[in-house]
Amino acid sequence: MAELTALESLIEMGFPRGRAEKALALTGNQGIEAAMDWLMEHEDDPDVDEPLETPFGHILGREPTSSEQVGPEGAGSAAGESKPVLTEEERQEQTKRMLELVAQKQREREEREEREALEREKQRRRQGQELSAARQKLQEDEMRRAAEERRREKAEELAARQRVREKIERDKAERAKKYGSSVGSQSSPPATDPGPVPSSPSQEPPTKREYDQCRIQVRLPDGTSLTQTFRAREQLAAVRLYVELHRGEEPGQDQDPVQLLSGFPRRAFSEADMERPLQELGLVPSAVLIVAKKCPS
């Protein structure tokens, strides 16, 4: 009865009797090694200690067949030969081999679990890398869209500034044309009869000379200066526009508004002064103006 020997060996190795019987029955009594494999694989099952619903086999109550009664000893056993009894030393040696086999199975299972855990860790890292790459790509796309939006807004702002400058230039040209024609018509007054010649120079009334142009020198904050000739009837805004267009800053950069000051007497021109002609402001025939950065209100 080889199955009983296997059962005893499993019990001596520390397996519960119920588990050992169940392992031998479910493996078809194919030997202790198959039963140990089943026990190692199912030791964590919640129903490992539950008995089988339909017992079978000699261990669980089934009557052994004639072949099972004969056993591996052959016809000699059927003839009535008794199973040899193992000595204590042989039993200890058999138990030792079984324990070594159990330890080997345990090592194999631990190695298998370690390989599975390593594979799971590799898969987790690979998924983490893929997620990180996808997140980085999303951030790069958002940054690229934000940069394109900033470039578009900057281009629209530059286009708007250019349109304003072109309008100012057109207005300036129209004012120059208008005031130039009026000055030309006034430069040739109708001839009048000469009056009586005064008897002496002391009796001549002082005459005030009329100027139709003035020369403006503008001193910039960096120490450089600009010089330009304007018509006497042009507004002070034309001078400010000329300074803003020629003060040497890089195109496309935001330019701070400027304020014009007169050197002597000291005077800061207001926004209302920008609409007054140069001759009314006492800047004819020539004047020196100082540029200061205008503080935003």
Side-chain angles (χ1 to χ4, degrees), residues 2 18 64 67 85 102 137 149 158 160 173 185 194 198 252 263 272 287 295:
S67 61
V85 179
V102 170
K137 184 178 184 301
E149 182 67 18
L158 292 177
S185 62
C295 298

Side-chain angles (χ1 to χ4, degrees), residues 50-65:
E50 295 180 3
L52 294 175
E53 295 181 359
T54 306
F56 64 94
H58 178 75
I59 298 174
L60 301 179
R62 181 175 61 84
E63 291 296 331
T65 61

Side-chain angles (χ1 to χ4, degrees), residues 1-186:
M1 296 187 294
E3 64 273 12
L4 295 178
T5 303
L7 176 62
E8 292 175 355
S9 300
L10 292 173
I11 293 174
E12 289 182 0
M13 284 186 289
F15 293 105
R17 183 182 186 85
R19 290 191 184 184
E21 292 177 349
K22 189 174 183 179
L24 289 170
L26 292 178
T27 56
N29 296 319
Q30 295 180 2
I32 188 172
E33 185 173 354
M36 288 177 57
D37 290 339
W38 187 93
L39 288 171
M40 297 294 292
E41 293 176 358
H42 297 83
E43 65 175 349
D44 296 329
D45 293 352
D47 58 347
V48 65
D49 293 322
E50 295 180 3
L52 294 175
E53 295 181 359
T54 306
F56 64 94
H58 178 75
I59 298 174
L60 301 179
R62 181 175 61 84
E63 291 296 331
T65 61
S66 59
S67 61
E68 291 174 345
Q69 292 178 352
V70 172
E73 290 83 358
S77 297
E81 295 181 359
S82 62
K83 175 179 175 291
V85 179
L86 298 177
T87 64
E88 184 64 24
E89 183 178 355
E90 291 174 342
R91 291 173 64 87
Q92 291 180 357
E93 182 67 23
Q94 185 181 21
T95 302
K96 180 180 179 181
R97 288 197 303 271
M98 293 301 102
L99 292 176
E100 291 177 353
L101 182 59
V102 170
Q104 179 181 357
K105 295 295 183 181
Q106 184 69 20
R107 287 194 301 270
E108 292 176 356
R109 188 184 68 168
E110 292 176 354
E111 291 175 357
R112 183 177 67 254
E113 292 177 351
E114 183 177 357
R115 289 194 300 269
E116 293 175 353
L118 182 61
E119 183 64 27
R120 288 194 299 270
E121 178 65 18
K122 290 181 179 179
Q123 183 177 2
R124 186 189 66 80
R125 292 184 179 181
R126 182 167 58 252
Q127 293 176 351
Q129 293 175 355
E130 294 175 354
L131 180 60
S132 177
R135 187 181 295 111
Q136 182 177 359
K137 184 178 184 301
L138 179 61
Q139 293 177 352
E140 291 176 353
D141 293 341
E142 292 178 353
M143 292 176 61
R144 183 168 58 253
R145 286 194 296 267
E148 292 175 355
E149 182 67 18
R150 286 195 298 269
R151 286 195 295 268
R152 184 184 62 79
E153 293 177 353
K154 192 69 174 179
E156 292 179 355
E157 183 180 355
L158 292 177
R161 287 178 176 270
Q162 183 63 27
R163 288 194 297 270
V164 171
R165 288 174 179 168
E166 292 175 356
K167 185 177 183 303
I168 293 175
E169 289 293 335
R170 289 195 301 268
D171 294 343
K172 179 181 175 182
E174 291 176 359
R175 286 197 300 269
K177 182 178 179 181
K178 177 180 177 181
Y179 291 130
S181 61
S182 61
V183 170
S185 62
Q186 292 179 3

Side-chain angles (χ1 to χ4, degrees), residues 172 212-214 216 228-232 234 238-239 242 278:
K172 179 181 175 182
D212 60 344
Q213 292 184 345
C214 65
I216 302 296
Q228 181 66 16
T229 301
F230 299 87
R231 294 186 179 276
E234 281 193 89
V239 179
Y242 174 81
L278 299 177

